[in-house]
Amino acid sequence: MNPDTLTDKAYLYLTQIDTLTNLPNRTYLMSELEEKFSLGDHPKTPTALLFIEFDDLARFNDTFGFDIDDQLILQLSEHIKLLLDVDDFLARVGNYQFAIASQRLQSEKSSGTLAKRIIHMLSEPFSVGENMFYVSASIGISFSSAEKNSAYRLLKTAENTMRHAQKDGKNYIAFTQYDVQPSLQKSVRLMGDLPAAIDNEEIYYVYQGQYSHKENRLNGAELLARWKHPQYGEVSPALFIPLAEQSGMIGPLTIKAIIEASRMFDKLKARGITDFSLSINISPVFLMESDFIETVQFLRQYYNLAGEKLNFEIMEDTLAHNMGNLAQLLEKIRDLGISIEIDDYGTGHTSLKYLENLPVDTLKVDKSFIRNIDKNRKRMALLKAIIDMSHALDIAVIAEGVETESEDRIIKKFKDITVQGYLYSKPEESAPFLDKLQTQ
Ligand code: C2E
Ligand code: CA
Ligand code: CA
């Protein structure tokens, strides 16, 4: 359609309004914000931006076989509107994404209250046809300021903050903390400090146990990296792993983890604990390095890892993006006696079909699937489907992020499931972790 032939209003409607919800779209929101910011040198009152992303609603379509996501989006937009003031600006900024811009919510408290009300609203199921659906969301909140008053920047910062909340799954509302989020300068400093930190034990590993319901014991653990930085304090791995990937240090960091695992196997044996597995996170950046297999082969030999139960955790998304020689690469890892676990299963874009062709030993079902499983029948049905199909393919299942007794009770009903989460074991340093194992 030629825009020249349309009235201004119709043109605006077609390009700036989301047709499903009738809400402004991302472009409209951006121009609205730009207009606000251009009113003065800097906005007198800061604008709060809440960036909301709903968990992949399309997943329901796969299971129930019709366009449930559209109908849910429509209901969600209506419910959110009810929580807003007339001056708040609600936009649909992506498939499963909404944003709220507001000058009324100038403090963390007031914008946090709205975010909590949205999360609370989601605790009730939505009905579409005969089915009830529970929807969950992550919300990132950011504020404009005199120096940060570009619409693009405000939206991006809120979106990145939402990703952080989503990634560590610790809470589903997060505020941009300008002093915690690395400024460019801080990233550069951290990147520069990384090599020495890997060498001098500022970066170390903690252990999170994995509890087997079948064996009634912790029968394995995942190694998780920690960085105690002399100036910045605790730096999250969600922050420094990407820096390590960008600066070529992910190899040395992973080698450190493998050596640490070897030492831990010795400590376990010294305490009479055998038949115990250790899992290491393998970044796709390291996996794709040309000498990956040679490096692992060398370490395995040099650090006496043959015969130990070592697992490599590979994120699900890695599978979707590198289907080329990935199957052979995974085979080679397995030939070294190392098991393959698919991490964060359910968050990426693979299907169980991929697994038919890939040598995979274990699926780690992502915590977003597990959260509130006790209150969510549909989520339970999805987990059951994953477990049934995995078992048919001879693949073991670990449920990640189990936090409550009641979630655990549901999961326990499925046969042969291992659980990893705060309920059984919070990540801790090797000494207390070994003590815990000995007294179990
Ligand atoms: P991940 O591999 O998915 O690790 C699990 C994360 O979930 C850990 O966060 C863990 O502390 C947290 N978690 C465990 N149980 C629960 C629970 O019951 N509830 C909730 N809400 N969270 C739980 P952490 O240690 O901050 O690690 C974040 C991510 O950083 C990891 O996610 C992993 O992707 C990456 N990472 C950590 N260490 C390494 C490493 O040595 N190498 C690589 N490549 N990545 C690493
Ligand atoms: Ca992991
Ligand atoms: Ca995970």
Side-chain angles (χ1 to χ4, degrees):
M1 220 183 283
N2 180 357
D4 294 341
T5 63
L6 297 170
T7 61
D8 281 358
K9 209 171 165 191
Y11 183 62
L12 176 81
Y13 189 81
L14 282 177
T15 54
Q16 306 212 338
I17 301 288
D18 169 55
T19 47
L20 175 71
T21 57
N22 263 335
L23 288 173
N25 64 14
R26 189 181 277 249
T27 317
Y28 193 161
L29 172 69
M30 295 279 275
S31 52
E32 177 77 12
L33 288 172
E34 289 298 357
E35 199 178 300
K36 258 196 188 106
F37 296 153
S38 64
L39 288 178
D41 276 342
H42 55 78
K44 291 201 176 56
T45 42
T47 300
L49 198 103
L50 281 74
F51 196 104
I52 309 164
E53 183 170 296
F54 296 100
D55 285 351
D56 188 7
L57 303 179
R59 198 182 280 159
F60 295 127
N61 295 346
D62 300 341
T63 315
F64 296 92
F66 55 103
D67 283 343
I68 283 177
D69 56 348
D70 273 0
Q71 305 189 44
L72 283 172
I73 283 290
L74 210 53
Q75 289 195 31
L76 286 166
S77 68
E78 292 304 322
H79 278 77
I80 294 176
K81 272 188 220 160
L82 295 176
L83 301 175
L84 301 182
D85 256 30
V86 275
D87 290 337
D88 299 339
F89 191 92
L90 174 66
R92 184 178 181 201
V93 293
N95 235 1
Y96 303 131
Q97 297 170 334
F98 288 89
I100 300 164
S102 170
Q103 288 190 318
R104 153 181 88 93
L105 309 167
Q106 287 168 31
S107 67
E108 289 205 354
K109 192 157 179 269
S110 55
S111 51
T113 304
L114 174 61
K116 277 186 208 139
R117 289 180 70 192
I118 294 172
I119 298 279
H120 181 70
M121 176 263 286
L122 297 173
S123 62
E124 295 292 327
F126 290 81
S127 63
V128 177
E130 291 175 347
N131 294 304
M132 306 284 267
F133 296 90
Y134 280 90
V135 175
S136 58
S138 301
I139 304 179
I141 305 173
S142 198
F143 300 93
S144 68
S145 68
E147 318 82 58
K148 300 185 181 72
N149 62 356
S150 120
Y152 176 79
R153 187 165 178 167
L154 181 61
L155 195 64
K156 265 291 155 216
T157 318
E159 182 170 1
N160 288 342
T161 304
M162 182 278 298
R163 292 259 167 264
H164 272 277
Q166 209 171 40
K167 207 166 181 301
D168 65 28
K170 275 165 196 144
N171 58 58
Y172 290 74
I173 303 170
F175 293 92
T176 304
Q177 291 173 346
Y178 293 101
D179 51 339
V180 173
Q181 273 216 331
S183 61
L184 194 59
Q185 216 177 5
K186 182 177 169 190
S187 299
V188 172
R189 163 86 194 273
L190 287 175
M191 237 186 223
D193 290 350
L194 252 173
I198 293 173
D199 278 347
N200 69 15
E201 313 293 312
E202 249 171 52
I203 290 181
Y204 59 99
Y205 280 84
V206 291
Y207 293 83
Q208 185 177 30
Q210 297 166 337
Y211 186 86
S212 159
H213 276 303
K214 192 177 169 191
E215 298 177 27
N216 275 324
R217 66 172 183 119
L218 295 168
N219 68 351
E222 175 178 5
L223 279 78
L224 292 163
R226 294 289 176 264
W227 186 355
K228 224 184 211 102
H229 190 279
Q231 186 186 339
Y232 298 120
E234 293 285 347
V235 183
S236 159
L239 207 145
F240 68 80
I241 299 291
L243 296 179
E245 289 173 339
Q246 286 158 30
S247 62
M249 291 312 290
I250 193 67
L253 195 71
T254 315
I255 291 169
K256 183 180 169 111
I258 296 175
I259 298 170
E260 164 81 20
S262 151
R263 298 208 176 111
M264 187 62 167
F265 279 123
D266 291 341
K267 289 181 198 164
L268 285 160
K269 258 176 257 160
R271 298 204 185 198
I273 301 163
T274 52
D275 200 12
F276 196 87
S277 70
L278 293 176
S279 300
I280 291 174
N281 290 288
I282 303 292
S283 147
V285 176
F286 184 45
L287 185 70
M288 294 300 149
E289 280 180 12
S290 58
D291 56 355
F292 174 79
I293 283 292
E294 286 75 19
T295 307
V296 174
Q297 201 164 15
F298 167 78
L299 292 169
R300 176 177 172 271
Q301 219 152 23
Y302 195 83
Y303 290 97
N304 291 322
L305 284 161
E308 303 293 5
K309 282 184 150 184
L310 189 62
N311 305 323
F312 280 179
E313 294 194 8
I314 297 167
M315 275 199 327
E316 185 193 18
D317 259 348
T318 314
L319 306 188
H321 297 312
N322 306 286
M323 286 308 286
N325 61 351
L326 191 71
Q328 287 128 293
L329 193 57
L330 298 186
E331 281 298 356
K332 284 185 188 155
I333 297 174
R334 255 193 172 174
D335 288 345
L336 294 173
I338 298 166
S339 300
I340 310 287
E341 287 184 11
I342 303 305
D343 203 0
D344 297 353
Y345 186 79
T347 58
H349 296 94
T350 59
S351 69
L352 281 164
K353 184 100 189 78
Y354 280 97
L355 302 175
E356 200 185 316
N357 308 315
L358 288 174
V360 169
D361 299 283
T362 307
L363 284 190
K364 272 187 109 163
V365 180
D366 188 65
K367 36 186 174 294
S368 60
F369 266 92
I370 305 303
R371 194 165 59 97
N372 291 336
I373 194 153
D374 48 327
K375 302 187 188 85
N376 187 329
R377 270 199 21 250
K378 301 295 178 200
R379 204 167 274 178
M380 204 151 78
L382 288 174
L383 181 67
K384 183 176 182 323
I386 293 175
I387 292 172
D388 287 349
M389 288 169 89
S390 304
H391 285 174
L393 293 168
D394 235 350
I395 294 172
V397 177
I398 296 182
E400 198 172 38
V402 178
E403 291 184 357
T404 67
E405 297 276 359
S406 143
E407 288 166 349
D408 190 44
R409 220 171 296 126
I410 300 290
I411 289 161
K412 205 173 158 177
K413 289 193 186 135
F414 300 110
K415 247 179 62 204
D416 295 354
I417 302 298
T418 298
V419 293
Q420 180 178 341
Y422 295 161
L423 178 67
Y424 284 99
S425 177
K426 291 210 168 122
E428 56 189 342
E429 290 190 44
S430 64
F433 183 65
L434 282 162
D435 289 344
K436 176 189 259 160
L437 290 180
Q438 258 191 328
T439 51
Q440 77 172 341

